[in-house]
Amino acid sequence: MKKGLLLGLLLFSIGLSRAQDAEKEIIANTEKAVKKITDTTSNGWKKKGNIIFLFNQSNFNNWVAGGENNLSGNLGINYDFNYKKKDITWDNKVIASYGLLQTKNSDFEKKTDDRFEFNSVLGKKAIGQWYYSFFLNFRTQFTKGYVYGKDDFGKEIRTEYTNVFSPGYLTFGPGMFWKKSDNLKVNLAPLTSKITFVDADFTLPEKAYFGVEEGESSRYELGFYASSYYKLDLMLNVSMENTLNLYSNYLEDGQNVDIDYTLSMVMRINRYLTTNLVFQAIYDDNAFRGLQTRQIFGLAANYGF
């Protein structure tokens, strides 16, 4: 009787042990399958974009406090096309926007926005969420820019100061790319080349034009570049994008750091209507010795694709 009980306990133990081993193997295989699915479901191209039309209008009639009738509109495109395959990632982003303002007492339409920017980061996985990277950034504008003033008779005049590709900025170099998700990523590039393109006809003898010397059409810099992108949902239907770019030139005035920060906040009303806020701050002493800022706020019509 005792021998039979012992034999039964032994067989039960062996069976239990085998069952536990089988369970562990099933769990391990399941985890591998899940990881494989997670790693491959986002392989290939992933594309998304948004077109925004922002409209503002003010009208005054017998308004004692004063005011000037004005009408403005901004059209913007934000398009991402990212690629992933195994340990390779390639993130691309196009930002384009253009805006005009017309006021009753002005002889000219004036720009409220003029921007074209292309960003591209190619990465090969190194360890964890870090990638060996090579990035490229290009920035310019679509149309001519003017400086406004008054002539001797008080009439408004304007002087052409910028144009498409004048200035234009091409920045590129190798580095390390950290990417937690499409909404949080950082790129560090310690050997970055930056080329500033201008129309040589604009360069003046008494000062450099966007850092480019008189008679020249370009300027080369080598330095350290850092960029970051962070998007978060502040609350239901309210999202915020933050983009920060920093650059320091090793070859001249390395202590001067160029800063370009953009905040874009979207407050969604419904599928097609939003309230949008864009704030941008730039410090680049080659362009202007001071802080440049711009702000756009208004009701926008959106179309996602």
Side-chain angles (χ1 to χ4, degrees):
M1 182 72 177
K2 290 182 179 179
K3 290 182 179 180
L5 181 60
L6 290 173
L7 181 60
L9 290 172
L10 180 61
L11 292 174
F12 177 76
S13 299
I14 293 173
L16 181 61
S17 177
R18 288 182 177 177
Q20 289 175 338
D21 290 340
E23 183 181 4
K24 289 179 181 178
E25 185 176 354
I26 292 172
I27 292 172
N29 290 336
T30 302
E31 289 176 347
K32 289 180 181 178
V34 171
K35 186 176 185 302
K36 185 176 181 180
I37 291 172
T38 302
D39 290 342
T40 58
T41 49
S42 59
N43 281 351
W45 286 101
K46 184 178 179 182
K47 306 173 185 178
K48 64 177 180 178
N50 194 36
I51 297 175
I52 302 172
F53 178 70
L54 192 69
F55 176 78
N56 286 287
Q57 188 258 347
S58 297
N59 185 269
F60 303 90
N61 185 27
N62 299 322
W63 193 252
V64 177
E68 185 175 4
N69 295 350
N70 65 79
L71 180 68
S72 67
N74 289 70
L75 180 65
I77 298 175
N78 194 323
Y79 183 56
D80 294 270
F81 51 108
N82 301 333
Y83 179 79
K84 178 182 177 183
K85 186 174 182 181
K86 296 182 180 179
D87 60 347
I88 300 293
T89 65
W90 186 19
D91 291 358
N92 301 277
K93 189 178 189 71
V94 174
I95 303 172
S97 55
Y98 191 78
L100 289 173
L101 168 69
Q102 178 65 63
T103 57
K104 182 179 179 180
N105 297 319
S106 176
D107 296 327
F108 306 106
E109 289 182 337
K110 298 177 181 178
K111 291 193 293 186
T112 57
D113 199 3
D114 189 0
R115 178 187 184 191
F116 175 83
E117 183 170 350
F118 172 68
N119 291 282
S120 183
V121 181
L122 178 65
K124 178 177 175 58
K125 194 164 189 176
I127 184 172
Q129 296 170 331
W130 285 95
Y131 294 79
Y132 303 111
S133 68
F134 187 89
F135 88 98
L136 181 145
N137 171 273
F138 178 72
R139 293 182 291 126
T140 189
Q141 60 191 47
F142 290 104
T143 61
K144 296 177 180 179
Y146 299 91
V147 176
Y148 294 88
K150 300 282 187 179
D151 63 13
D152 295 337
F153 302 98
K155 183 177 176 61
E156 186 177 28
I157 58 173
R158 64 182 185 180
T159 304
E160 185 179 339
Y161 187 67
T162 60
N163 205 344
V164 61
F165 300 121
S166 182
Y169 300 97
L170 177 64
T171 310
F172 58 91
M176 294 296 293
F177 180 51
W178 180 81
K179 181 179 180 181
K180 185 175 182 180
S181 68
D182 286 341
N183 294 331
L184 180 57
K185 41 196 173 183
V186 176
N187 188 54
L188 304 174
L191 289 174
T192 294
S193 295
K194 179 180 178 181
I195 304 174
T196 303
F197 302 98
V198 300
D199 187 336
D201 292 338
F202 285 117
T203 54
L204 306 174
E206 66 269 16
K207 63 178 181 179
Y209 175 71
F210 290 94
V212 181
E213 298 299 330
E214 180 192 5
E216 301 293 329
S217 60
S218 65
R219 167 188 170 93
Y220 177 79
E221 301 176 38
L222 179 68
F224 182 88
Y225 178 87
S227 66
S228 64
Y229 173 81
Y230 181 41
K231 180 179 179 180
L232 71 158
D233 293 325
L234 295 178
M235 59 185 70
L236 184 65
N237 294 328
V238 180
S239 64
M240 181 173 68
E241 286 186 336
N242 298 271
T243 305
L244 176 64
N245 298 315
L246 305 173
Y247 183 77
S248 175
N249 180 18
Y250 297 143
L251 305 180
E252 181 182 327
D253 298 327
Q255 75 280 3
N256 291 346
V257 178
D258 295 342
I259 303 170
D260 187 344
Y261 170 72
T262 302
L263 164 69
S264 179
M265 185 178 295
V266 178
M267 292 153 276
R268 188 167 298 280
I269 300 171
N270 56 36
R271 182 179 178 183
Y272 297 108
L273 292 176
T274 60
T275 300
N276 290 47
L277 168 66
V278 176
F279 172 78
Q280 185 176 13
I282 295 176
Y283 178 81
D284 181 351
D285 61 351
N286 289 321
F288 176 75
R289 292 191 176 276
L291 185 66
Q292 306 173 62
T293 63
R294 71 181 180 97
Q295 176 188 308
I296 301 172
F297 180 74
L299 182 68
N302 293 259
Y303 174 73
F305 58 96

